[in-house]
């Protein structure tokens, strides 16, 4: 089959989707994005990995007369895409530095004759004499894949993407579409600005991945054992274990093999044939665990990867979301779990500081590193935290991640400390950094240092916590958005970005929870057997009431924007299920129910108990 211009005159994007790709309907924002590009508008589309970005430019490229130019950063990806398109009968070719001159010539000639739908080029090609040749081809649309690479604020800045700012002059009037899976608001602004898109249409999909259950914990004990136990929970399923170094991928694969699992190592140091063979096995065989560096994964479109484990933390939240997004592409439940430690954070910071990147790039990197670790160490709903990071608003907790599921014994209500910290930030004029704020809160300023600030009412109100304890509080406040770092990223000052949220904190409508008691700096205890035992002791009849109570708790927590355990512990729900309190007074007698909660929830609980009776 070949697609010629005469055949497509009356073809719509939808009929082409069906005819060429064999799909019945567009997904998510695809149809809107395609409509804009078809209408000749400049467009930015931010769709999650697996969201079907390629179709957003391929379909207009096929439908619009002339050749569609696709700028793509990775030669390997280009080759795959071109092969896949050819297999569908689409006339696609690529031009990159690895090709023989005569092949390049042949591709250009075909394009000139109008016998081509799509031409993939590398960004650096546009910086060379080739650009002039391309302008004479009759280009119908230009797609910029992985567009976040154009931004210094993005997590994967590529200097050769700078050449793309010339596209507007080189191809005046040709619509351009930039696509990416990961771009926070600032990166999106950079893309629009750097590419100088004309009155751009911006489409940002939700970053929710409802089928992914997220978790993270600090590294402790032997890492290989922890990884093995996480993998064993998925025995027989395909998954990826990411590690930071080549050595670590090898040793993890060996230890998983010793534990009786099928594991392979994958990194850039292996022979290309070995890599290709291992990738092939991962794709075709069931239940292979790939222990890999981040060299693995780009373009690996295996739908039934059931877990992604970070044995070392990712580089940024953008990288995290992209990497965990390789699990559960088929929409069925999948798990992502990350291990992290203070040494990882120090390493990441020192690598950035010592790199020879531009100052501005380093600053961005450092901010992103801090945000990543605040996220990993945070106790907020993880899916919610990521979605907020990418700019989504009014996000409800998922109810499924480790933080949403955590038993209260493992969490610590640090609302009081959070109130102190935020009021200190405000009183001190939102112009000093964390170090000075901690000195201020603990009242440890030496003579002559910060004397003005020492007159304020917040001076010395926080002596209950050590410096480490306060650091834990500030980390959490930063990530939950109650505070933000502004100014010089090397020496950031803390400010209150959201007055509304701060007011809610002071009124007690918003709570702040930490993993552990910051005044003790105890290590996290594993989920105690207590709650589980209490639940198992329930009769079948009580058990179903318990489940009903849990559902109510999740709904209530979602409505209030808090983790479920903030409403009631599992233990408390189990006791309610067993005792079946009929009145507010009876409810108050149950352990874990205070006066306030008894007053607030008595009616709800009475109703659920009555319904279950
Ligand atoms: P991305 O580049 O956003 O990660 P792709 O464009 O590679 O995603 O698409 C991911 C997978 O989804 C591919 O296998 C693709 O063929 C498939 N796909 C894309 N659009 C649709 C659709 N409308 N219906 C069904 N499958 C689709
Ligand atoms: Zn959650």
């Amino acid at each position: 089959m070949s697609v010629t211009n005469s055949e497509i005159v009356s073809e719509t994007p939808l009929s082409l989707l069906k005819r060429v790709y064999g799909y019945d309907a567009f997904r998510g924002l695809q149809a809107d994005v395609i409509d804009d590009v078809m209408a000749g508008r400049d467009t930015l589309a931010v769709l999650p990995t697996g969201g079907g970005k390629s179709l957003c430019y391929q379909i207009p490229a096929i439908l619009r007369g002339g050749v569609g130019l696709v700028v793509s950063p990775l030669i390997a990806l280009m080759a795959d895409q071109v092969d896949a398109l050819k297999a569908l009968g689409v006339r696609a070719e690529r031009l990159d530095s690895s090709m023989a001159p005569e092949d390049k010539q042949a591709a250009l000639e075909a394009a000139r004759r109008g016998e081509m739908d799509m031409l993939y080029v590398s960004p650096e090609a546009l910086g060379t004499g080739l650009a002039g040749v391309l302008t004479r081809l009759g280009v119908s649309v230009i797609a910029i894949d992985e567009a976040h690479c154009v931004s210094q604020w993005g997590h994967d800045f590529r200097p050769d993407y700078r050449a793309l700012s010339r596209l507007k002059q080189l191809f005046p009037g040709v619509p351009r579409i930039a696509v990416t899976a990961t771009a926070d608001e600032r990166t999106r602004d950079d893309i629009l600005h750097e590419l100088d898109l004309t009155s751009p249409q911006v489409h940002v999909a939700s970053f929710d991945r409802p089928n992914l259950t997220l978790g993270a914990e600090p590294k402790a004990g032997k890492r290989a054992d922890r990884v093995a136990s996480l993998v064993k929970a998925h025995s027989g399923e395909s998954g990826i274990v990411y590690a930071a170094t080549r050595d670590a991928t090898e040793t993890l694969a060996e230890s998983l093999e010793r534990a009786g699992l099928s594991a392979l190592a994958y990194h850039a140091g292996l022979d290309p044939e070995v890599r290709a063979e291992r990738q092939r096995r991962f794709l075709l065989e069931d239940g292979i665990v790939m222990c890999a560096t981040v060299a693995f994964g780009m373009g690996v479109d295996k739908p039934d990867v059931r877990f992604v484990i970070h044995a070392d933390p990712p580089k940024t939240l953008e990288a995290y979301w992209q990497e965990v997004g390789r699990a559960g592409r088929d929409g069925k439940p999948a798990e992502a779990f990350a291990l992290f430690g203070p040494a990882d954070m120090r390493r990441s910071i020192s690598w950035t500081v010592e790199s020879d990147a531009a100052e501005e790039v380093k600053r961005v990197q450092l901010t992103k590193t801090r945000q990543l670790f605040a996220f990993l160490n945070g106790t907020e709903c993880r899916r919610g935290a990521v979605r907020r990071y990418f700019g989504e608003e009014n996000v409800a907790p998922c109810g499924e991640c480790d933080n949403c599921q955590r038993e209260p014994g493992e969490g610590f209500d640090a609302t009081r400390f959070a109130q102190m910290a935020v009021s200190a930030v405000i009183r001190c004029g939102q112009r000093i950094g964390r170090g000075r704020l901690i000195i201020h809160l603990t009242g440890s300023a030496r003579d002559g240092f910060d004397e003005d600030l020492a007159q304020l009412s917040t001076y010395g109100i926080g002596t209950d916590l050590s410096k480490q304890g306060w650091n834990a509080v500030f980390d959490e406040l930063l990530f939950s958005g109650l505070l933000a770092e502004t100014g010089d990223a090397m020496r950031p000052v803390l400010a209150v970005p959201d007055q509304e949220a701060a007011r809610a904190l002071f009124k007690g409508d918003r709570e702040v929870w930490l993993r552990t008691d910051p005044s003790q700096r105890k290590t996290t205890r594993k989920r105690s057997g207590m709650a589980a035992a209490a639940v198992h002791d329930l009769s079948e009849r009580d058990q179903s009431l318990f489940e009903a109570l849990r559902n109510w708790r999740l709904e209530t927590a979602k409505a209030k924007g808090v983790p479920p355990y903030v409403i009631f512990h599992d233990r408390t729900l189990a006791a309610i299920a067993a005792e079946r309190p009929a009145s507010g007074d009876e409810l108050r007698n149950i352990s874990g129910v205070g006066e306030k909660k008894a007053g607030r929830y008595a009616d709800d609980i009475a109703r659920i108990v009555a319904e279950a009776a």
Side-chain angles (χ1 to χ4, degrees):
M1 177 190 73
S2 107
V3 186
T4 66
N5 284 339
S6 58
E7 275 177 65
I8 58 169
V9 173
S10 62
E11 189 154 39
T12 64
L14 187 62
S15 58
L16 185 126
L17 177 75
K18 177 86 181 139
R19 181 174 63 82
V20 175
Y21 297 88
Y23 299 136
D24 289 327
F26 285 113
R27 284 201 308 222
L29 298 174
Q30 275 177 333
D32 295 344
V33 173
I34 290 170
D35 279 351
D36 277 332
V37 181
M38 287 304 293
R41 298 185 194 108
D42 281 0
T43 307
L44 166 62
V46 185
L47 308 185
T49 308
K53 284 180 290 300
S54 343
L55 264 59
C56 291
Y57 55 81
Q58 288 174 357
I59 288 179
I62 298 169
L63 284 180
R64 288 174 67 97
V67 60
L69 217 53
V70 183
V71 184
S72 173
L74 294 173
I75 290 176
L77 274 189
M78 261 193 236
D80 286 353
Q81 289 229 11
V82 168
D83 288 347
L85 284 166
K86 282 183 170 164
L88 296 174
V90 178
R91 300 167 306 175
E93 289 294 343
R94 71 195 156 98
L95 281 180
D96 69 61
S97 50
S98 74
M99 287 167 68
E102 56 272 23
D103 291 340
K104 283 190 195 173
Q105 211 47 49
L108 282 171
E109 229 108 83
R112 211 169 285 135
R113 286 195 303 270
E115 293 166 4
M116 188 175 297
D117 301 306
M118 245 174 288
L119 186 58
Y120 282 72
V121 296
S122 57
E124 66 268 18
L126 292 164
T128 68
L130 190 61
V133 179
L134 295 173
T135 58
R136 292 192 290 275
L137 293 182
V139 171
S140 59
V141 55
I142 302 172
I144 298 115
D145 205 355
E146 312 285 351
H148 59 276
C149 297
V150 82
S151 165
Q152 296 210 347
W153 181 260
H155 63 109
D156 196 12
F157 172 59
R158 287 169 193 250
D160 55 15
Y161 259 63
R162 283 219 187 94
L164 304 187
S165 61
R166 299 175 61 215
L167 287 172
K168 186 169 184 163
Q169 281 71 49
L170 286 170
F171 301 92
V174 177
R176 285 167 296 151
I177 166 173
V179 300
T180 171
T182 58
D184 59 11
E185 208 173 330
R186 171 111 181 241
T187 308
R188 299 201 284 270
D189 286 346
D190 269 6
I191 294 171
L192 299 178
H193 181 250
E194 288 293 316
L195 296 177
D196 194 10
L197 296 185
T198 310
S199 318
Q201 302 296 309
V202 180
H203 299 268
V204 182
S206 167
F207 281 80
D208 196 12
R209 298 289 308 258
N211 60 323
L212 273 190
T213 302
L214 308 176
E217 74 186 19
K219 289 178 179 173
K222 198 156 172 268
R223 178 176 67 168
D225 293 346
R226 184 65 183 122
V227 170
S229 78
L230 288 164
V231 172
K232 275 189 182 148
H234 292 273
S235 93
E237 298 176 343
S238 301
I240 305 173
V241 175
Y242 280 116
T245 63
R246 296 174 184 185
D247 282 359
T249 63
E250 308 259 0
T251 51
L252 283 168
E254 281 160 25
S255 76
L256 289 177
E257 281 280 322
R258 274 200 304 277
L261 300 149
S262 334
L264 296 170
Y266 186 103
H267 54 75
L270 296 168
D271 279 344
E273 304 88 81
V274 175
R275 275 209 314 258
E277 168 61 13
R278 290 186 180 176
Q279 172 157 335
R280 202 188 58 82
R281 283 191 57 194
F282 178 76
L283 292 176
L284 296 180
E285 293 177 26
D286 281 336
I288 299 234
V289 183
M290 196 66 114
C291 297
T293 60
V294 290
F296 180 74
M298 272 271 211
V300 175
D301 188 12
K302 182 174 168 63
D304 60 346
V305 174
R306 292 270 72 84
F307 61 91
V308 168
I309 294 166
H310 281 93
D312 290 309
K315 234 176 113 201
T316 58
L317 269 165
E318 283 91 343
Y320 173 73
W321 211 230
Q322 205 157 40
E323 285 153 24
V324 303
R326 289 173 189 143
R329 279 180 163 227
D330 54 10
K332 302 212 178 82
E335 186 186 7
F337 203 90
L339 301 176
F340 64 96
D344 296 315
M345 179 160 178
R346 276 197 297 277
R347 195 177 317 119
S348 183
I349 288 176
S350 69
W351 281 348
T352 301
V353 169
E354 275 150 40
S355 75
D356 51 15
E359 237 15 48
E360 174 62 18
V361 175
K362 283 191 192 181
R363 294 208 169 112
V364 170
Q365 240 351 289
L366 289 176
T367 304
K368 286 185 181 290
T369 300
R370 275 194 284 268
Q371 287 171 318
L372 171 77
F373 283 89
F375 160 76
L376 290 170
N377 194 44
T379 59
E380 268 200 295
C381 170
R382 298 198 183 271
R383 213 192 288 155
V386 175
R387 293 173 65 189
R388 267 195 300 280
Y389 177 84
F390 285 114
E392 282 186 54
E393 286 164 10
N394 303 319
V395 179
C398 74
E400 287 159 8
C401 68
D402 58 346
N403 284 339
C404 284
Q405 292 283 330
R406 181 164 281 119
E407 291 295 326
E410 294 177 73
F412 179 89
D413 184 351
T415 307
R416 189 168 66 91
F417 296 124
Q419 289 166 340
M420 289 179 191
V422 175
S423 47
V425 168
I426 294 170
R427 288 281 150 79
C428 294
Q430 310 193 55
R431 61 190 162 79
I432 62 175
R434 180 198 289 228
R436 276 175 72 191
L437 280 161
I438 293 177
I439 290 174
H440 178 79
L441 283 162
T442 53
S444 49
R446 288 178 303 278
D447 281 350
F449 180 79
D450 279 353
E451 262 169 8
D452 294 350
L453 300 184
Q455 305 305 315
L456 301 172
S457 60
T458 41
Y459 183 75
I461 54 168
T463 49
D464 287 358
L465 293 190
S466 65
K467 185 175 165 209
Q468 286 86 343
W470 278 115
N471 268 319
V473 174
F474 279 109
D475 279 346
E476 178 54 29
L477 290 173
L478 279 173
F479 201 72
S480 57
L482 280 160
L483 292 180
E485 289 183 330
T486 61
D488 182 343
M490 298 285 192
R491 304 178 58 92
V493 302
L494 292 176
V496 177
D498 181 347
Q499 306 298 331
E500 196 101 354
R503 258 196 300 280
L505 175 72
F506 291 127
K507 274 170 54 192
D509 290 344
R510 178 160 173 168
E511 296 171 353
V512 172
W513 286 72
L514 294 181
R515 195 175 280 267
T516 55
D517 181 348
S519 68
Q520 310 229 346
R521 294 192 64 235
K522 272 188 304 195
T523 48
T524 317
R525 226 178 285 129
K526 287 275 151 299
R527 179 182 291 236
S528 73
M530 281 257 308
V535 175
H536 285 145
D537 287 347
L538 292 174
S539 71
E540 218 162 302
R541 177 168 166 265
D542 294 346
Q543 181 72 39
S544 76
L545 173 54
F546 175 73
E547 294 304 332
L549 288 164
R550 276 182 66 106
N551 287 337
W552 163 81
R553 179 178 66 173
L554 180 58
E555 289 312 314
T556 312
K558 282 188 173 170
K560 290 170 115 45
V562 300
Y565 62 75
V566 169
I567 311 287
F568 281 125
H569 308 184
D570 270 358
R571 217 171 300 151
T572 308
L573 292 187
I576 294 173
E579 313 265 1
R580 302 185 175 238
S583 68
D585 283 343
E586 286 181 34
L587 178 62
R588 199 167 326 152
N589 282 335
I590 288 174
S591 150
V593 184
E595 193 165 18
K596 203 163 163 192
K597 287 188 180 172
R600 200 178 291 163
Y601 301 129
D603 291 349
D604 279 1
I605 293 201
R607 178 177 49 79
I608 297 165
V609 169
E611 276 167 9

mmCIF file of all heavy atoms in Angstrom, residues 504-523:
data_model
loop_
_atom_site.group_PDB
_atom_site.id
_atom_site.type_symbol
_atom_site.label_atom_id
_atom_site.label_comp_id
_atom_site.label_asym_id
_atom_site.label_seq_id
_atom_site.Cartn_x
_atom_site.Cartn_y
_atom_site.Cartn_z
ATOM 1 N N ALA A 504 -4.756 28.499 55.187
ATOM 2 C CA ALA A 504 -5.364 27.218 55.582
ATOM 3 C C ALA A 504 -4.497 26.524 56.633
ATOM 4 O O ALA A 504 -4.999 25.912 57.577
ATOM 5 C CB ALA A 504 -5.544 26.328 54.358
ATOM 6 N N LEU A 505 -3.195 26.633 56.475
ATOM 7 C CA LEU A 505 -2.274 26.023 57.443
ATOM 8 C C LEU A 505 -2.456 26.663 58.818
ATOM 9 O O LEU A 505 -2.556 25.977 59.834
ATOM 10 C CB LEU A 505 -0.834 26.197 56.953
ATOM 11 C CG LEU A 505 0.257 25.723 57.923
ATOM 12 C CD1 LEU A 505 0.291 24.199 57.995
ATOM 13 C CD2 LEU A 505 1.632 26.242 57.494
ATOM 14 N N PHE A 506 -2.540 27.978 58.855
ATOM 15 C CA PHE A 506 -2.658 28.663 60.148
ATOM 16 C C PHE A 506 -4.008 28.386 60.795
ATOM 17 O O PHE A 506 -4.127 28.305 62.003
ATOM 18 C CB PHE A 506 -2.445 30.172 59.990
ATOM 19 C CG PHE A 506 -1.022 30.515 59.630
ATOM 20 C CD1 PHE A 506 -0.730 31.311 58.532
ATOM 21 C CD2 PHE A 506 0.035 30.022 60.393
ATOM 22 C CE1 PHE A 506 0.579 31.600 58.196
ATOM 23 C CE2 PHE A 506 1.355 30.315 60.063
ATOM 24 C CZ PHE A 506 1.628 31.104 58.958
ATOM 25 N N LYS A 507 -5.032 28.243 59.980
ATOM 26 C CA LYS A 507 -6.355 27.973 60.531
ATOM 27 C C LYS A 507 -6.512 26.524 60.959
ATOM 28 O O LYS A 507 -7.509 26.156 61.568
ATOM 29 C CB LYS A 507 -7.437 28.294 59.477
ATOM 30 C CG LYS A 507 -7.833 29.766 59.498
ATOM 31 C CD LYS A 507 -8.699 30.160 58.321
ATOM 32 C CE LYS A 507 -9.942 29.320 58.144
ATOM 33 N NZ LYS A 507 -10.585 29.578 56.842
ATOM 34 N N GLY A 508 -5.529 25.690 60.625
ATOM 35 C CA GLY A 508 -5.627 24.281 60.992
ATOM 36 C C GLY A 508 -6.420 23.454 59.993
ATOM 37 O O GLY A 508 -6.697 22.286 60.210
ATOM 38 N N ASP A 509 -6.787 24.066 58.855
ATOM 39 C CA ASP A 509 -7.513 23.310 57.832
ATOM 40 C C ASP A 509 -6.579 22.454 56.999
ATOM 41 O O ASP A 509 -7.012 21.567 56.275
ATOM 42 C CB ASP A 509 -8.254 24.263 56.875
ATOM 43 C CG ASP A 509 -9.414 24.940 57.574
ATOM 44 O OD1 ASP A 509 -9.805 24.443 58.647
ATOM 45 O OD2 ASP A 509 -9.905 25.953 57.062
ATOM 46 N N ARG A 510 -5.317 22.777 57.047
ATOM 47 C CA ARG A 510 -4.367 22.005 56.260
ATOM 48 C C ARG A 510 -3.294 21.456 57.196
ATOM 49 O O ARG A 510 -2.743 22.195 58.013
ATOM 50 C CB ARG A 510 -3.734 22.907 55.211
ATOM 51 C CG ARG A 510 -2.707 22.185 54.397
ATOM 52 C CD ARG A 510 -2.431 22.867 53.106
ATOM 53 N NE ARG A 510 -1.319 22.196 52.448
ATOM 54 C CZ ARG A 510 -0.971 22.404 51.208
ATOM 55 N NH1 ARG A 510 -1.629 23.267 50.481
ATOM 56 N NH2 ARG A 510 0.048 21.753 50.680
ATOM 57 N N GLU A 511 -3.027 20.165 57.068
ATOM 58 C CA GLU A 511 -2.056 19.540 57.956
ATOM 59 C C GLU A 511 -0.778 19.219 57.199
ATOM 60 O O GLU A 511 -0.792 19.044 55.986
ATOM 61 C CB GLU A 511 -2.657 18.260 58.550
ATOM 62 C CG GLU A 511 -3.871 18.564 59.430
ATOM 63 C CD GLU A 511 -4.618 17.317 59.863
ATOM 64 O OE1 GLU A 511 -4.282 16.220 59.380
ATOM 65 O OE2 GLU A 511 -5.542 17.455 60.675
ATOM 66 N N VAL A 512 0.311 19.125 57.942
ATOM 67 C CA VAL A 512 1.596 18.763 57.339
ATOM 68 C C VAL A 512 2.134 17.553 58.089
ATOM 69 O O VAL A 512 2.243 17.582 59.318
ATOM 70 C CB VAL A 512 2.602 19.933 57.429
ATOM 71 C CG1 VAL A 512 3.987 19.489 56.987
ATOM 72 C CG2 VAL A 512 2.119 21.097 56.572
ATOM 73 N N TRP A 513 2.404 16.494 57.338
ATOM 74 C CA TRP A 513 2.854 15.249 57.959
ATOM 75 C C TRP A 513 4.257 14.892 57.510
ATOM 76 O O TRP A 513 4.605 15.072 56.345
ATOM 77 C CB TRP A 513 1.891 14.116 57.607
ATOM 78 C CG TRP A 513 0.610 14.246 58.370
ATOM 79 C CD1 TRP A 513 -0.361 15.184 58.164
ATOM 80 C CD2 TRP A 513 0.184 13.456 59.471
ATOM 81 N NE1 TRP A 513 -1.371 15.024 59.071
ATOM 82 C CE2 TRP A 513 -1.063 13.960 59.889
ATOM 83 C CE3 TRP A 513 0.731 12.362 60.153
ATOM 84 C CZ2 TRP A 513 -1.763 13.419 60.958
ATOM 85 C CZ3 TRP A 513 0.015 11.812 61.207
ATOM 86 C CH2 TRP A 513 -1.216 12.338 61.607
ATOM 87 N N LEU A 514 5.031 14.377 58.443
ATOM 88 C CA LEU A 514 6.359 13.884 58.110
ATOM 89 C C LEU A 514 6.393 12.380 58.333
ATOM 90 O O LEU A 514 5.597 11.826 59.091
ATOM 91 C CB LEU A 514 7.423 14.536 59.002
ATOM 92 C CG LEU A 514 7.647 16.034 58.842
ATOM 93 C CD1 LEU A 514 8.738 16.492 59.781
ATOM 94 C CD2 LEU A 514 8.013 16.352 57.409
ATOM 95 N N ARG A 515 7.337 11.764 57.668
ATOM 96 C CA ARG A 515 7.533 10.323 57.783
ATOM 97 C C ARG A 515 7.862 9.932 59.241
ATOM 98 O O ARG A 515 7.402 8.932 59.750
ATOM 99 C CB ARG A 515 8.723 9.992 56.897
ATOM 100 C CG ARG A 515 8.947 8.589 56.538
ATOM 101 C CD ARG A 515 10.117 8.563 55.566
ATOM 102 N NE ARG A 515 9.692 8.924 54.224
ATOM 103 C CZ ARG A 515 9.320 8.029 53.318
ATOM 104 N NH1 ARG A 515 9.359 6.755 53.600
ATOM 105 N NH2 ARG A 515 8.930 8.411 52.137
ATOM 106 N N THR A 516 8.716 10.720 59.874
ATOM 107 C CA THR A 516 9.113 10.407 61.253
ATOM 108 C C THR A 516 9.054 11.673 62.095
ATOM 109 O O THR A 516 8.991 12.780 61.566
ATOM 110 C CB THR A 516 10.561 9.881 61.312
ATOM 111 O OG1 THR A 516 11.416 10.838 60.686
ATOM 112 C CG2 THR A 516 10.694 8.546 60.612
ATOM 113 N N ASP A 517 9.094 11.499 63.395
ATOM 114 C CA ASP A 517 9.103 12.610 64.337
ATOM 115 C C ASP A 517 10.406 13.403 64.176
ATOM 116 O O ASP A 517 11.484 12.878 64.429
ATOM 117 C CB ASP A 517 8.993 12.026 65.748
ATOM 118 C CG ASP A 517 8.970 13.119 66.797
ATOM 119 O OD1 ASP A 517 9.268 14.278 66.448
ATOM 120 O OD2 ASP A 517 8.656 12.792 67.953
ATOM 121 N N PRO A 518 10.319 14.652 63.746
ATOM 122 C CA PRO A 518 11.554 15.396 63.479
ATOM 123 C C PRO A 518 12.323 15.723 64.754
ATOM 124 O O PRO A 518 13.496 16.063 64.684
ATOM 125 C CB PRO A 518 11.060 16.674 62.788
ATOM 126 C CG PRO A 518 9.650 16.845 63.240
ATOM 127 C CD PRO A 518 9.122 15.457 63.485
ATOM 128 N N SER A 519 11.696 15.617 65.923
ATOM 129 C CA SER A 519 12.438 15.919 67.142
ATOM 130 C C SER A 519 13.265 14.712 67.575
ATOM 131 O O SER A 519 14.067 14.786 68.468
ATOM 132 C CB SER A 519 11.498 16.363 68.256
ATOM 133 O OG SER A 519 10.700 15.262 68.640
ATOM 134 N N GLN A 520 13.047 13.585 66.925
ATOM 135 C CA GLN A 520 13.775 12.380 67.332
ATOM 136 C C GLN A 520 14.720 11.880 66.260
ATOM 137 O O GLN A 520 15.726 11.274 66.538
ATOM 138 C CB GLN A 520 12.772 11.268 67.621
ATOM 139 C CG GLN A 520 11.693 11.742 68.553
ATOM 140 C CD GLN A 520 11.484 10.799 69.690
ATOM 141 O OE1 GLN A 520 11.946 9.678 69.666
ATOM 142 N NE2 GLN A 520 10.785 11.268 70.700
ATOM 143 N N ARG A 521 14.375 12.142 65.038
ATOM 144 C CA ARG A 521 15.131 11.626 63.900
ATOM 145 C C ARG A 521 15.308 10.126 63.991
ATOM 146 O O ARG A 521 16.373 9.593 63.714
ATOM 147 C CB ARG A 521 16.488 12.326 63.775
ATOM 148 C CG ARG A 521 16.361 13.782 63.437
ATOM 149 C CD ARG A 521 17.691 14.377 63.044
ATOM 150 N NE ARG A 521 18.193 13.776 61.828
ATOM 151 C CZ ARG A 521 19.375 13.219 61.733
ATOM 152 N NH1 ARG A 521 20.171 13.142 62.750
ATOM 153 N NH2 ARG A 521 19.772 12.723 60.585
ATOM 154 N N LYS A 522 14.245 9.467 64.427
ATOM 155 C CA LYS A 522 14.274 8.005 64.426
ATOM 156 C C LYS A 522 14.113 7.530 62.991
ATOM 157 O O LYS A 522 13.498 8.197 62.184
ATOM 158 C CB LYS A 522 13.115 7.445 65.256
ATOM 159 C CG LYS A 522 13.437 7.292 66.716
ATOM 160 C CD LYS A 522 12.312 6.560 67.425
ATOM 161 C CE LYS A 522 11.000 7.235 67.224
ATOM 162 N NZ LYS A 522 9.922 6.848 68.100
ATOM 163 N N THR A 523 14.625 6.324 62.707
ATOM 164 C CA THR A 523 14.408 5.800 61.360
ATOM 165 C C THR A 523 12.990 5.244 61.252
ATOM 166 O O THR A 523 12.386 4.862 62.245
ATOM 167 C CB THR A 523 15.407 4.677 61.030
ATOM 168 O OG1 THR A 523 15.399 3.779 62.124
ATOM 169 C CG2 THR A 523 16.784 5.225 60.794
#
